[in-house]
Amino acid sequence: MSPAIALAFLPLVVTLLVRYRHHFRLLVRTVLLRSFRDCLSGLQIEERAFSYVLTHALPGDPGHILTTLDHWSSCCEYLSHMGPVKGQILMRLVEEKAPACVLELGTYCGYSTLLIARTLPPGSRLLTVERDPRTAAVAEKLIRLAGFDEQMVELIAGSSEEVIPRLRAQHQLNRADLVLLAHRPRYYLRDLQLLEAHALLPNGATVLADHVLFPGAPRFLQYTKSCGRYRCRLHHTSLPDFPAIKDGIAQLTYAGPG
């Protein structure tokens, strides 16, 4: 490319960098720096975060563990977790609905799992599903460190596509009063339809879906708004530590198969 052509594109490049500077910073923190530290330490970010929690958080205190993870994500390495703002929305809805059984798809490091577990009424049960076995092992340790036993919080390692059809037979889950979709947005629609097909959603069940605006789940939102089986509400938020990057949590109320 000649210098003249390069100079012609320079204003466009500068404009894009300025307009999407927050996204560029997010890319650097979540991809470039994370990959470098993974190679340097031989550990995944979730494992490094758990090591930090072990030395800085109080065992048996889920609130302090959550605060420690927030501090790690803000000051050390960006964790791509739910964060305190979305966490308040989640805890308020769990407290309001008081579900007897919760299903979480996408345990990740266990952050949202602790938010749900600490808010559940006595006798309730939480099943959480994580696809990556190494990440699931970290989350399991974090959940137990917070003081929740397997009777209250059961972690299932496996893909949601494989786990959902066997929830009733293998994990005695007959109905999920509240479902949190927090794995990969491109799988939200597939997994919601699996839950419907296996009759795991009772009338009035609440389905919460994170990251529906960024990176986004347009097919999922279109389906839930057009199929006639859900009442929909969108809670507008942003990414933790990136207030300029807008996101949202979809709150769905299941009205039955119709």
Side-chain angles (χ1 to χ4, degrees):
M1 180 182 295
S2 69
I5 295 177
L7 284 174
F9 278 100
L10 184 59
L12 175 61
V13 172
V14 171
T15 300
L16 291 175
L17 285 175
V18 171
R19 177 175 296 180
Y20 296 104
R21 63 191 182 278
H22 303 290
H23 297 79
F24 180 73
R25 190 163 63 93
L26 177 65
L27 175 68
V28 170
R29 293 188 67 180
T30 58
V31 178
L32 301 180
L33 289 177
R34 183 177 298 180
S35 299
F36 175 74
R37 287 166 175 154
D38 287 352
C39 293
L40 200 64
S41 66
L43 300 173
Q44 292 181 344
I45 185 173
E46 301 83 18
E47 294 167 325
R48 296 193 295 275
F50 181 71
S51 296
Y52 184 84
V53 166
L54 279 178
T55 56
H56 291 82
L58 298 174
D61 187 339
H64 195 259
I65 291 173
L66 289 166
T67 301
T68 303
L69 285 171
D70 289 330
H71 183 269
W72 159 269
S73 184
S74 296
C75 301
C76 301
E77 298 183 52
Y78 189 68
L79 196 54
S80 304
H81 65 317
M82 178 172 277
V85 175
K86 289 182 180 180
Q88 288 297 321
I89 296 173
L90 175 61
M91 288 194 296
R92 176 174 56 80
L93 291 172
V94 172
E95 186 174 0
E96 176 186 312
K97 304 300 180 182
C101 192
V102 177
L103 174 65
E104 177 186 33
L105 301 181
T107 316
Y108 188 44
C109 65
Y111 185 94
S112 53
T113 312
L114 296 192
L115 288 170
I116 297 169
R118 71 187 298 223
T119 316
L120 284 175
S124 294
R125 182 184 178 211
L126 166 60
L127 279 78
T128 181
V129 181
E130 172 55 43
R131 181 187 186 93
D132 183 80
R134 195 166 168 181
T135 305
V138 174
E140 180 88 42
K141 290 186 284 188
L142 190 83
I143 293 165
R144 306 309 167 213
L145 182 70
F148 300 111
D149 60 23
E150 293 181 2
Q151 185 174 357
M152 182 177 183
V153 180
E154 179 182 353
L155 192 152
I156 305 167
S159 71
S160 52
E161 185 178 22
E162 296 174 351
V163 170
I164 290 173
R166 63 175 193 255
L167 282 172
R168 180 175 277 107
Q170 295 187 15
H171 301 279
Q172 293 73 55
L173 176 68
N174 294 317
R175 51 183 281 169
D177 303 303
L178 189 146
V179 177
L180 173 62
L181 304 177
H183 48 328
R184 297 187 178 184
R186 67 174 179 266
Y187 297 145
Y188 286 1
L189 177 56
R190 179 199 71 188
D191 290 346
L192 182 68
Q193 291 174 332
L194 276 173
L195 291 169
E196 293 172 350
H198 290 274
L200 292 171
L201 295 176
N203 289 359
T206 298
V207 179
L208 303 176
D210 195 8
H211 295 304
V212 294
L213 297 184
F214 185 87
R219 291 177 61 247
F220 169 82
L221 291 177
Q222 181 181 17
Y223 172 80
T224 56
K225 291 175 181 178
S226 62
C227 71
R229 291 191 284 275
Y230 296 93
R231 297 194 305 274
C232 305
R233 178 185 177 187
L234 184 62
H235 300 271
H236 289 274
T237 61
S238 60
L239 296 190
D241 300 322
F242 290 89
I245 301 179
K246 302 306 178 184
D247 195 11
I249 297 177
Q251 177 185 347
L252 315 175
T253 303
Y254 185 57

